[in-house]
Each structure stands twice: as structure tokens, then as C-alpha cells.
Amino acid sequence: MLRRAGPSLRHFLLERNSSAGHSSCSREAKMSRPVQARRLEGIDKNIWVEFVNLAATYSKVNLGQGFPDFPAPDFLTEALRRALGGGNHMLHQYTRAFGHPPLVKVLAQFFEKLLGRDLDPMTNVMVTVGAYQGLFCCFQALVDEGDEVIIIEPFFDCYEPMVKMAGGTPVFVPLRPNPPKDGKLMSSADWQLDPAELASKFSERTKAIVLNSPNNPLGKVFSREELGLIAELCVKHDVLCISDEVYEWLVYDGKQHIRIASLQGMWDRTVIIGSAGKTFSATGWKVGWVVGPDRLLQHLRTVHQNSVYHCATIAQEAVAQGFQRELMLYGKPESYFVQLPKELQQKRDWLVQSLDGVGMKPIIPEGTYFLVADISPFKSDVPDVPNSDEPYDSRFAKWMVKNKGLAAIPLSAFYSEAHKNNYTNFIRFCFAKEEATLKAASDILQKWKQEKTSS
């Protein structure tokens, strides 16, 4: 029999603990080295965490977050019930990692109509955990250390941190307001890019531009002329376009959403990002997609398979059935994609009238769930704080939810640190709400106006 060469591990540990004494055993061994990855530096704060908590604590009416409080369409929830209760038990298991086959197939059919080109569902479409993960995949797959990414301000707030996490450098160019001179309310169309300023942001370091049309938070729908300018610069400088089109069906007043990928020279350099949450009023389902050329999507698939890997099969099945219905009804009055924007336009007009009636001047949006309003006439209610680093609109929105019970989001949250103090007279409201919710908001505003008048 072989003898062990030395004492057992148990014996060694007992001796060590005995000699060290009981007090050392109870001490915590704290790490002295930094634990945070450098790519997270400066992006740990998130305005949504703070304002969601404020709304949950104080608000009577929440027009802050961008989600409907009305139900998803019956045909979609019925599709989910069929998927849950049907005999296909495999819908409770993994499906294809890059997208449930029925969903990518119908998305390919739909976008063939919209883009006027043939699409391969297996290589030109990928399903993601909401549009949010689609964006993350784009930045991680396509942006490298030192690359510059042009972001149009105001912008959906995740663009900047996602670019930085990928090692890229955000380069900002603003939409500049050009108020009408006839005294009419401003429209989101009055916020425009300066062509020379935009062109100056492109350089040999520019890897991509992020386009969000219809735009959150303004509701701006970029015109064919504006998109043509962006496309021309992308082709000239060999730049990619990450096109966030989650509000593609929510366009008002006869406006048309034009897909930049359909313009000359843009298909091969564009990734389109879409959302079932916005398309079918079911934001909690977290089903999104990306559409684009295989030469780009192959890299997004690499990020996807090494991060979330897979999206909920049941939800993808229900969304696929929703799109199959809409494909059959495409362009017809009974289509949900025709009905929803009509309903939301009425809600938009209700909120516009309510805000205008109390003197809080709204900027009429051409699309999305949102409108931005000028709070200047109400600033006297919220005193300024000298030498404060917090933008005024942020303090105004906090005061409003705590004192009036109405939740909204400050517009400065959608600007870079360098520019946020230039746009602190505005807050953003969401009008994708039940009529009762909008009426309750209107009542708060009317009471507020009466208090101001009588004081």
C-alpha cells in the first residue's frame, strides 16, 4: 500500500485555522483591486431608474414611460392563448436561436413589400429580445475601439452608453428648432438638421450613424430629402447606418415613414431595427428584430448567440401569427397598422389641446407615442437653484410629480452632457394611454392653471 507523502488537506487547514486564531477567521477579506470594467465608467446612472421610482411613489397619472396602458389587440392575445393551450408542446422549448422560423419567414415577406427587394428569412432577419437587444447587438458587432458613431440629438438615451461600451466615441449633431413665424404651434418637422453641420461630423474615423425615425422623443418623421442627405453622406464616407424604426407604423397627419434602406446605395450598409412591442402595443413581450444584409447580420448573430442566445418561443409564435394577419390585411381599413395610428392621433390631439389650453406649449409630433412641451410659462412655480448641476427641466419634472402627481420625462435626458443645458425648457409626455388617463392628466393641468390664476 502506498503511504501519503504528507499530512492531509484537512489536517493542514485545521492547523492553519488554529494558529491564526478565531478573530482572523471572522474578518472579511475585501478586494482592493477595482472590480468595475472600464467600459462601464461614467454610464452607471440611468434616468429611467430614478423617474420610474418617482412615478411609482408619487404619480397619480404617469405620462412618463413609453408604454400603452390600453390592452394589446385581441387577435394577438388570442394567438398567445392558442400557442399556450394548443397541442404543440415544442412551443415551450427552444426554437431556432436566431428567430422562430414562422416569425422570420413572415417578417421577410413583410419587409420584401416595404423595401421592394427579395429577402432570405434565415440570413436577412434576426429576432432579438426587444429592439433594445437589437441595438446592443449592432453596437457590439459593428463598432470597434476608436470608431466614431454619429448620434442625432435628441436621442433615445441608450445610444450613447451602448456606443461607449463597445469602445466607440459618440459624435453628436443636433436637430435645431426653427419656430414658425405665424404664431402657430411648433411641429416636430420644425426641428431640422443643418446640412453643413451634419457633413462636418463625418470623417475617416466615422464608422456609423444612428438614425431614429420616427424620433423619440420629438416624434419627428424624417423627410425623403433629409434621409437623402444622410444617405449621400453615408455612401460618400463609406459609413454604416443603424436605423431604429420601432415607431414605423405610428405616423400621423398623412405623413409617410420612409425607410432609409430603400434609398439608393443604402441597403448594403443599413441595419433596420423593429419592435413588436411598439407595433402591437405589447411592450412587455420584448420581441424585436433586425433586418439587413447578411454581411452585417452575420456579425450580429455572433453577439446574439454569445449573449442571450434565444428569445421566448411562445411570444415569437404569437407575434408571427399577428404579422400573418396583418400581411393578409395589408393596407386595408381593418388592419391594426391602419387603425392604431388613427386612434393614437386622436389621443395626441387631445393632449395637445389640453397642454395648449393651460399655456404649456406642445410641439406637435408627426409620429411615435410622445410629444414634447415647452414649460416656460410654468417655470415661476419651480424656483431655480443657483449653481446646481442638475438641468432645470429635470428639477421641474421631479417637482411636478411630487407636487402635482403628474409624471413626465425631462428633455435634457435625451441630450449629451455637453448639450443638455441648451434644452431645459421642455419635458416629454407619452400619449399612448387610455382616454381616462389622458383626462386625469388634463384635470391636473386645469387645476394647476386655476391655482396659478388665483394666486
Side-chain angles (χ1 to χ4, degrees), residues 238-283:
D238 198 22
V239 165
L240 299 173
C241 181
I242 298 169
S243 186
D244 181 350
E245 303 182 24
V246 297
Y247 298 101
E248 58 190 324
W249 299 106
L250 306 182
V251 178
Y252 315 124
D253 302 318
K255 295 285 184 180
Q256 181 186 8
H257 170 59
I258 299 166
R259 293 162 177 83
I260 195 168
S262 67
L263 302 187
Q264 187 174 358
M266 289 304 293
W267 164 255
D268 197 47
R269 62 182 68 251
T270 302
V271 178
I272 301 168
I273 295 166
S275 165
K278 305 302 190 295
T279 298
F280 290 113
S281 308
T283 59

Side-chain angles (χ1 to χ4, degrees), residues 184-342:
K184 291 182 179 179
L185 290 175
M186 193 185 297
S187 161
S188 59
D190 295 320
W191 293 61
Q192 299 174 348
L193 290 167
D194 180 303
E197 185 178 17
L198 176 63
S200 73
K201 302 299 181 181
F202 284 78
S203 73
E204 68 277 2
R205 294 182 299 278
T206 307
K207 183 64 175 292
I209 184 171
V210 184
L211 173 67
N212 179 207
S213 181
N215 168 272
N216 173 15
L218 275 178
K220 177 180 174 65
V221 177
F222 283 72
S223 68
R224 183 177 292 276
E225 182 181 8
E226 290 171 313
L227 294 176
L229 171 65
I230 295 170
E232 181 181 334
L233 289 166
C234 286
V235 172
K236 177 181 178 180
H237 294 276
D238 198 22
V239 165
L240 299 173
C241 181
I242 298 169
S243 186
D244 181 350
E245 303 182 24
V246 297
Y247 298 101
E248 58 190 324
W249 299 106
L250 306 182
V251 178
Y252 315 124
D253 302 318
K255 295 285 184 180
Q256 181 186 8
H257 170 59
I258 299 166
R259 293 162 177 83
I260 195 168
S262 67
L263 302 187
Q264 187 174 358
M266 289 304 293
W267 164 255
D268 197 47
R269 62 182 68 251
T270 302
V271 178
I272 301 168
I273 295 166
S275 165
K278 305 302 190 295
T279 298
F280 290 113
S281 308
T283 59
W285 288 27
K286 294 300 292 180
V287 176
W289 54 83
V290 293
V291 175
D294 183 45
R295 79 178 194 96
L296 300 181
L297 262 58
Q298 64 177 319
H299 306 300
L300 274 66
R301 291 194 291 268
T302 300
V303 176
H304 179 81
Q305 73 190 20
N306 288 293
S307 53
V308 300
Y309 173 69
H310 183 273
C311 309
T313 306
I314 285 281
Q316 291 189 69
E317 172 68 19
V319 172
Q321 292 185 33
F323 266 108
Q324 286 159 4
R325 174 191 186 272
E326 289 303 300
L327 190 61
M328 290 188 296
L329 296 176
Y330 183 71
K332 296 181 180 179
E334 57 267 39
S335 164
Y336 188 69
F337 296 171
V338 173
Q339 293 176 348
L340 180 61
K342 289 182 178 179

Side-chain angles (χ1 to χ4, degrees), residues 131-139 156 158-159 162 242 244 273:
Y132 214 84
Q133 194 231 343
L135 287 163
F136 183 80
C137 286
C138 283
F139 294 121
F156 184 49
C158 77
Y159 299 160
M162 284 189 182
I242 298 169
D244 181 350
I273 295 166

Side-chain angles (χ1 to χ4, degrees), residues 46-59 62-67 397-398 401 407-410 428:
N46 186 298
I47 190 171
W48 300 107
V49 175
E50 182 178 15
F51 275 88
V52 167
N53 288 339
L54 284 170
T57 305
Y58 297 102
S59 74
N62 185 358
L63 300 188
Q65 284 177 279
F67 61 83
K398 290 177 184 178
V401 70
I409 300 293
R428 190 201 75 173

